[in-house]
Amino acid sequence: MIIKQAEYSGTYVNLESLPVDQKLEVALVGRSNVGKSSLINKLVNRRGLAKSSSTPGKTRTINYYQINQSWYMVDLPGYGYARVSKKEKDRWGQMVDRYLEQRGQLRGVLMLLDIRHEPNRNDVIMKEWLEHKEIPFLLVATKADKISRGARSKQLALIRRTLDLKEQDIPVCFSAQTGEGVEELKQMLQELLDSEEQIKEDS
Ligand code: GTP
Ligand code: MG
């Protein structure tokens, strides 16, 4: 995939107001601070298109980015941000679940994991839930520049074990700093978008 064009196209706080134009969508999920916004920026080569910050919980809304005037990359609120009330956490969680469950034009999900950390309970739940709902997902191990080549295989094995991954589910190592993984990811995104399969009835 060659990304010729990318633009921010809106911020949404509830599902009822999401775009109705039926363009295909790929969504990003992952813990707060895992690097979702940075991945979008690197992929489209536009620093600052998606707001990224070192303060976890920056993205508390659903943000849409239109790519090549043909599909949307959807930045979902990060899960597990500690410094918000339980009530607010529940609200985000429900919004994300309902989005993933009901969005007819969703073609797949990029699930991001920090390569340095063992997946936590929320990661395990998300992965099992995606499988249960039969939503195609790609795993992305972010911040690959932060560990040595040697530590990589050990961390990938830990991720594999903790999430009980299938043989074919190999995380893509990605770095928003060095650009590692960008081409691989673009190719995988193209395959997701090209898949004929309708995941769910449009709702
Ligand atoms: P929320 O919106 O809060 O859920 O976070 P996010 O998942 O969008 O993370 P974001 O992209 O804002 O990145 C969080 C922090 O990690 C920022 O300080 C980024 O600069 C840093 N970061 C993200 N990706 C990388 C990476 O590949 N390498 C390095 N070294 N730092 C990264
Ligand atoms: Mg973000």
Side-chain angles (χ1 to χ4, degrees):
M1 168 185 302
I2 298 166
I3 296 181
K4 292 186 290 263
Q5 179 269 349
E7 68 188 23
Y8 164 77
S9 62
T11 292
Y12 306 92
V13 292
N14 59 61
L15 302 184
E16 289 64 37
S17 51
L18 295 182
V20 292
D21 58 13
Q22 298 295 320
K23 288 191 171 85
L24 299 183
E25 298 178 1
V26 174
L28 275 75
V29 302
R31 263 193 261 180
S32 218
N33 211 42
V34 70
K36 295 178 295 296
S37 302
S38 303
L39 180 144
I40 293 175
N41 290 334
K42 192 67 194 177
L43 217 56
V44 305
N45 202 16
R46 285 268 303 276
R47 210 182 270 253
L49 182 68
K51 295 279 168 285
S52 88
S53 105
S54 51
T55 318
K58 181 81 187 167
T59 314
R60 300 181 188 202
T61 47
I62 298 185
N63 293 312
Y64 270 61
Y65 301 91
Q66 189 178 223
I67 314 292
N68 291 344
Q69 275 155 0
S70 71
W71 61 282
Y72 292 117
M73 189 115 79
V74 181
D75 194 5
L76 295 171
Y79 47 77
Y81 175 51
R83 272 181 295 171
V84 295
S85 67
K86 173 152 190 324
K87 197 171 148 211
E88 195 166 350
K89 256 195 249 179
D90 289 348
R91 197 185 77 80
W92 296 350
Q94 277 167 21
M95 189 162 77
V96 169
D97 289 357
R98 275 181 52 226
Y99 167 84
L100 294 171
E101 204 165 11
Q102 298 173 1
R103 195 72 176 156
Q105 50 274 70
L106 178 68
R107 276 300 165 275
V109 166
L110 300 186
M111 179 168 168
L112 277 58
L113 300 155
D114 189 321
I115 198 165
R116 298 167 299 169
H117 306 313
E118 178 173 3
N120 70 9
R121 202 179 128 69
N122 287 326
D123 297 319
V124 174
I125 290 171
M126 177 55 81
K127 181 260 177 183
E128 284 177 353
W129 198 78
L130 291 170
E131 242 167 21
H132 176 70
K133 296 285 173 190
E134 299 183 332
I135 299 169
F137 61 90
L138 302 171
L139 296 161
V140 183
T142 62
K143 310 192 185 184
D145 58 282
K146 290 214 182 202
I147 60 168
S148 68
R149 290 264 164 186
R152 242 182 225 209
S153 51
K154 187 169 149 266
Q155 286 308 109
L156 289 174
L158 179 64
I159 290 172
R160 170 167 296 283
R161 243 186 355 262
T162 312
L163 292 182
D164 192 22
L165 297 184
K166 297 196 180 86
E167 209 64 55
Q168 68 268 25
D169 290 332
I170 302 159
V172 179
C173 289
F174 184 90
S175 167
Q177 193 106 17
T178 66
E180 178 183 353
V182 166
E183 288 312 314
E184 197 179 347
L185 207 54
K186 280 185 188 168
Q187 196 178 330
M188 292 167 94
L189 280 168
Q190 187 70 63
E191 283 164 21
L192 262 186
L193 290 163
D194 286 346
S195 66
E196 290 291 310
E197 191 191 354
Q198 176 86 0
I199 310 174
K200 54 185 83 78
E201 294 295 308
D202 284 357
S203 48

